[in-house]
């Protein structure tokens, strides 16, 4: 999958130990919600996890499962601004 990463996002991927395949799956299957600042937050909810498991298979899902608490923030132009691990619920309003 092709996507644009800011330098900040590259740094955060490395610092937070989020592998590229997790970001690929997040951008392909994750749920998007507006952050009310012009961007979007993408994260795995129950439906996106189920879709990932169904389409990529059980082996891939098990390999990535421990990292599926990841989220990404996209700028209005679609660039990945930052990534991290969710520690609390994302407000979907």
């Amino acid at each position: 999958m092709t996507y644009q990463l800011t330098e900040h996002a590259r740094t955060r991927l490395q610092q937070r130990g989020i592998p590229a395949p997790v970001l690929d799956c997040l951008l392909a299957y994750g749920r998007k919600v507006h952050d009310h600042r012009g961007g979007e937050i993408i994260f795995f909810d129950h439906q996106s996890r189920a879709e990932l498991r169904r389409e990529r298979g059980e082996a891939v899902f098990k390999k990535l499962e421990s990292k599926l608490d990841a989220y990404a923030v996209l700028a209005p132009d679609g660039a990945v601004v930052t990534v991290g691990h969710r520690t609390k619920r994302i407000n979907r309003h």
Side-chain angles (χ1 to χ4, degrees):
M1 174 176 267
T2 306
Y3 47 84
Q4 188 178 4
L5 282 175
T6 63
E7 279 304 312
H8 179 79
R10 282 185 222 287
T11 302
R12 293 298 181 251
L13 276 170
Q14 186 175 15
Q15 287 176 339
R16 295 175 176 161
I18 300 171
V22 171
L23 183 59
D24 292 342
C25 290
L26 184 60
L27 296 173
Y29 299 102
R31 176 166 178 176
K32 293 182 181 179
V33 295
H34 292 283
D35 70 356
H36 303 289
R37 295 182 182 116
E40 290 182 312
I41 301 170
I42 302 178
F43 62 97
F44 288 106
D45 62 0
H46 290 292
Q47 288 176 333
S48 57
R49 286 173 189 246
E51 185 179 357
L52 172 64
R53 178 180 263 160
R54 188 172 49 253
E55 290 190 14
R56 296 280 178 104
E58 192 66 29
V60 171
F61 184 82
K62 287 290 183 192
K63 203 171 178 183
L64 302 176
E65 189 172 21
S66 67
K67 300 286 186 181
L68 295 184
D69 64 342
Y71 71 90
V73 178
L74 301 183
D77 67 358
V80 178
V81 177
T82 192
V83 295
H85 297 282
R86 288 188 305 135
T87 57
K88 51 186 182 175
R89 193 176 176 102
I90 293 177
N91 191 357
R92 300 183 208 183
H93 298 294

